[in-house]
Amino acid sequence: MTDLVRSAGLSYFPEIARSVGLDPKQMMRKARLPLACLDKPDTPIAVAGLRRLLELSAEASGAEDFGLRLAERGGLTNFGAVGLIVREQATVGEAIDAFSRFIHIHHDGMRLDVARDGQIVTVTLHLRGRRPSAPRQAIDMALGSIHRIIQSLRGHDWRPQEVQLHYPPPRDRKRYREFYGCRVTFNAEHDAILLSARDMERRIPSAHPLIASYLRKRIEAIETRPASWEGKVDEVVRILLAGGDCTVERVAEHLACTRRTIHRHLAASGTSFSAILDAQRADLVIQLIEDPGRPLADIAVQLGFSAQSAMARWFRGRFGCTITDWRKGARPLTPPPDAPSATAA
C-alpha cells in the first residue's frame, strides 16, 4: 500500500535546493513528483517519492545534511491541523502525546512511541517502508522536525539529553551536534530523542484549553485516513479535481506508481478509476454551478471534459435534468441512480 504525506513538508525545498546549487524543479522531475504540490501544501504525495527526492538531492549536492536543512526551516505550520492542536496543549508532554496520536493524519507511515524510564523520556521515531528502515535523509527530516517542534514549545535554549540514530556516522558529525545541541549517538538501535521528564511538565504559555478542545474534536472527526487503494485514489482525485488537473496519469504521479497499477488495484476492489472520477465530478459540479457567475465552459475545463457540450450530456445522464433546469430548481423528483441528492447539494 502506498503511504501518503502532505506536501507541506516540501514548503522550503526550493529554497534549500537552490542554496546547495540545485534546480528544485529539475530535482522534482527526477524524483517523479508533481511540481504543483510545491504551491499546494495539502496535496497528498507518495512517501516513497518524497524519500527519493531527499536522497537524490543529498547525493547531487553533496549536502549530507540535506534532510536536517529542511527540518531546520520547518515547524508546526508544516503539519497543518496536527500542528495547530499540538501548539494549543497545556504542557510539552501533552503536546508530544497529541503529536504522537494524530501524526498519521499528516503522514500515513509515521509513528512515535513515547516511553518514560525514571527521569528520562524517550521519543522513538518509526517510519514505515519497504526497506528494513527508512532512508537516512527521511529520518533526518522527520526526527529533526520533532526536535524543532519540541524546541519551539520548550524554548529555543532547550536541548535534548541525547539523540540516537540507527545509521552509521556521517563525515561531519559536528553538524549534527550543532543542530541538536547534545550528544548524538550513531549505529544506535533506534532513531530517538531523549529528554528530561521535567521537560514534559513544562507549561506552554501560549496554550489555550478551549481552542485545544475544539481542535481535538475537529481533528478526531477526520482522524481516519483512507487505508485502501480505493480510498487513497478517491482522496487524490478529489484534491486534483478541485485544482482542475485530474487524470489517471496525474493521480499515478502522486501515488508514485503507474496507471496500470491503479487500474489493477481498483479492479480488485470492485471499482474503477472512471467510477471514482465520476462520483467526485458529481459532488463538485453541484458546488460549481451554484455560482451563476461562473461560465459553464470554465467548469467543463476544470472537471476534465473535452467540451461544454460533453459536460452537458454527462450532467443530464447523471442528474436527469439540464444544468439550466437545476439552477432554476426544476429538478427531477426521482434522481438517477448514484446522483447526489438535492438536499445534500
Side-chain angles (χ1 to χ4, degrees):
M1 180 61 64
T2 298
D3 285 327
L4 300 178
V5 59
R6 292 174 61 253
S7 59
L10 291 176
S11 297
Y12 293 100
F13 173 76
E15 176 185 331
I16 301 301
R18 284 190 287 266
S19 73
V20 294
L22 299 178
D23 179 338
K25 292 184 178 180
Q26 182 182 30
M27 296 310 299
M28 292 284 287
R29 285 190 286 267
K30 283 185 177 180
R32 301 189 297 279
L33 281 173
L35 293 177
C37 74
L38 292 175
D39 300 318
K40 299 174 182 177
D42 282 323
T43 304
I45 57 174
V47 170
L50 172 61
R51 291 176 179 174
R52 185 165 53 243
L53 176 66
L54 297 181
E55 295 297 319
L56 287 173
S57 298
E59 181 180 357
S61 66
E64 203 173 17
D65 62 340
F66 194 89
L68 277 187
R69 295 183 186 219
L70 277 174
E72 198 166 32
R73 291 303 312 273
L76 284 170
T77 55
N78 283 359
F79 292 88
V82 178
L84 289 177
I85 194 170
V86 167
R87 186 184 62 189
E88 299 299 336
Q89 299 305 304
T91 67
V92 171
E94 290 176 16
I96 293 175
D97 288 340
F99 189 78
S100 175
R101 174 177 175 182
F102 295 115
I103 185 57
H104 64 278
I105 295 174
H106 170 79
H107 187 317
D108 278 349
M110 182 173 171
R111 182 170 61 86
L112 297 182
D113 285 336
V114 183
R116 180 166 180 165
D117 183 8
Q119 294 303 307
I120 297 296
V121 174
T122 303
V123 181
T124 304
L125 170 70
H126 300 278
L127 293 177
R128 186 168 56 202
R130 293 182 179 178
R131 302 182 183 183
S133 60
R136 179 178 192 151
Q137 300 301 324
I139 293 169
D140 281 353
M141 181 179 175
L143 200 66
S145 296
I146 296 168
H147 171 266
R148 294 290 289 175
I149 287 172
I150 298 174
Q151 193 172 56
S152 70
L153 300 172
R154 179 64 179 78
H156 287 289
D157 60 341
W158 171 81
R159 298 292 182 269
Q161 300 290 308
E162 183 185 353
V163 167
Q164 299 176 349
L165 296 165
H166 85 275
Y167 55 74
R171 292 188 300 272
D172 184 9
R173 299 191 188 199
K174 181 181 177 182
R175 168 67 173 132
Y176 285 75
R177 289 195 300 270
E178 289 176 344
F179 178 86
Y180 288 108
C182 68
R183 181 178 65 180
V184 180
T185 302
F186 295 93
N187 290 318
E189 186 176 352
H190 300 291
D191 301 302
I193 293 177
L194 282 63
L195 60 155
S196 167
R198 291 191 300 273
D199 290 329
M200 302 287 279
E201 300 164 4
R202 181 68 173 261
R203 300 196 67 80
I204 301 173
S206 61
H208 196 298
L210 291 179
I211 295 178
S213 176
Y214 169 77
L215 289 171
R216 181 176 290 271
K217 291 176 182 177
R218 292 296 301 272
I219 204 169
E220 283 174 348
I222 61 171
E223 184 175 359
T224 303
R225 292 200 63 184
S228 65
W229 271 92
E230 181 179 355
K232 288 180 183 288
V233 170
D234 186 74
E235 179 183 15
V236 176
V237 166
R238 182 174 65 254
I239 292 174
L240 293 184
L241 200 60
D245 184 19
C246 184
T247 63
V248 66
E249 289 82 9
R250 295 282 287 122
V251 173
E253 192 176 32
H254 281 258
L255 297 179
C257 65
T258 65
R259 57 182 295 173
R260 293 181 62 185
T261 299
I262 290 177
H263 289 314
R264 184 175 70 252
H265 283 290
L266 293 181
S269 300
T271 186
S272 66
F273 180 81
S274 59
I276 291 175
L277 177 61
D278 191 63
Q280 287 296 339
R281 275 175 168 169
D283 285 341
L284 184 57
V285 73
I286 297 306
Q287 301 174 40
L288 297 178
I289 65 174
E290 289 298 326
D291 178 5
R294 187 187 292 264
L296 294 182
D298 291 351
I299 296 176
V301 170
Q302 177 171 346
L303 296 180
F305 289 101
S306 58
Q308 181 179 329
S309 57
M311 180 180 73
R313 289 192 297 272
W314 168 83
F315 189 94
R316 183 156 197 156
R318 179 83 185 191
F319 295 94
C321 66
T322 66
I323 295 176
T324 301
D325 290 340
W326 184 280
R327 281 177 162 173
K328 291 179 178 179
R331 302 165 189 177
L333 296 177
T334 305
D338 301 326
S341 67
T343 302

